[in-house]
Amino acid sequence: MFELVGMSSDDCSVENIGQLPPDLFAESCQQVMMHLQGQIPGVDTAELCERFQKAGVQLNLEAVEKIVNIVLFLFRTATKSNWTAGQLVTKLAEGSSKWSKPALQVIQRIWNEQGKLLHSQEDPSRMITVGQLVDFQWKLAMAISSDTCRSLNYPYISMTLKVANSSGQITSKSFEMTIPQFQNFFRQFKEMAAVLETV
């Protein structure tokens, strides 16, 4: 276990970071930095997991989410504590012997290059965001048949939302609506739009 200002994490997650090729870990850290700077709404952990697996690193989505959470926490803590890159790396090395030298070098390089951008933000608590809609896709489909009905011919709307949660991880949510449900959904959006026009 390692602890850093109140956070503890199992060494397994730190070992997983050590499995990553330095360029992929640097890309992950870069995405976290871009999220913390408000340049992107979140870190797409499913996409990162796919990239890791293509590179031969077999980590599941939960392990990748833990890695992203650790990096988010490290950079937020370093910002709030006003640490230099050297101080951050020293704290990490003191907290756990499981940190690989290449991983610490990546963290130090990314923090040296971009940490000052986070320090220049007026309020570090602004780095914590509320969930945000990233992408919205829909399609009209027709259910032709089912196990219980040979000729169903029933239209429905299929929707997929990509949402960045408060920790910056992007998740996809899919659902289907009947035409009457969609019409009610659309009516509520029209009401919201009308209210927004009065603001």
Side-chain angles (χ1 to χ4, degrees), residues 79-136:
T79 300
K80 290 176 186 174
S81 302
N82 206 22
W83 289 339
T84 65
Q87 290 171 316
L88 173 58
V89 168
T90 300
K91 297 273 186 192
L92 293 175
E94 288 173 354
S96 173
S97 62
K98 302 290 183 179
W99 284 100
S100 69
K101 186 174 181 176
L104 291 174
Q105 288 172 335
V106 166
I107 290 170
Q108 184 168 17
R109 182 176 56 81
I110 297 290
W111 192 248
N112 266 334
E113 293 170 0
Q114 305 211 6
K116 57 187 160 279
L117 296 173
L118 294 181
H119 285 300
S120 67
Q121 291 181 349
E122 289 178 26
D123 183 9
S125 65
R126 289 178 53 210
M127 291 185 291
I128 301 170
T129 60
V130 178
Q132 183 176 357
L133 182 64
V134 176
D135 190 23
F136 175 87

Side-chain angles (χ1 to χ4, degrees), residues 82-198:
N82 206 22
W83 289 339
T84 65
Q87 290 171 316
L88 173 58
V89 168
T90 300
K91 297 273 186 192
L92 293 175
E94 288 173 354
S96 173
S97 62
K98 302 290 183 179
W99 284 100
S100 69
K101 186 174 181 176
L104 291 174
Q105 288 172 335
V106 166
I107 290 170
Q108 184 168 17
R109 182 176 56 81
I110 297 290
W111 192 248
N112 266 334
E113 293 170 0
Q114 305 211 6
K116 57 187 160 279
L117 296 173
L118 294 181
H119 285 300
S120 67
Q121 291 181 349
E122 289 178 26
D123 183 9
S125 65
R126 289 178 53 210
M127 291 185 291
I128 301 170
T129 60
V130 178
Q132 183 176 357
L133 182 64
V134 176
D135 190 23
F136 175 87
Q137 297 176 355
W138 66 275
K139 67 180 175 182
L140 175 62
M142 181 72 78
I144 305 296
S145 65
S146 73
D147 292 344
T148 58
C149 184
R150 280 193 166 322
S151 67
L152 192 56
N153 295 332
Y154 192 79
Y156 65 93
I157 306 292
S158 176
M159 301 178 91
T160 301
L161 306 175
K162 275 192 171 182
V163 179
N165 65 21
S166 60
S167 67
Q169 293 176 356
I170 296 175
T171 56
S172 293
K173 302 289 181 190
S174 298
F175 58 96
E176 296 175 350
M177 292 187 283
T178 64
I179 298 302
Q181 288 173 324
F182 178 75
Q183 288 169 336
N184 181 42
F185 181 75
F186 177 70
R187 189 171 34 260
Q188 290 177 6
F189 265 86
K190 280 177 72 173
E191 289 173 14
M192 287 189 302
V195 170
L196 284 174
E197 287 179 11
T198 65

Side-chain angles (χ1 to χ4, degrees), residues 53-72:
Q53 290 175 353
K54 283 180 184 175
V57 180
Q58 296 305 313
L59 294 176
N60 63 23
L61 183 60
E62 183 181 350
V64 175
E65 288 171 349
K66 285 182 180 181
I67 288 170
V68 169
N69 282 335
I70 286 172
V71 175
L72 277 164

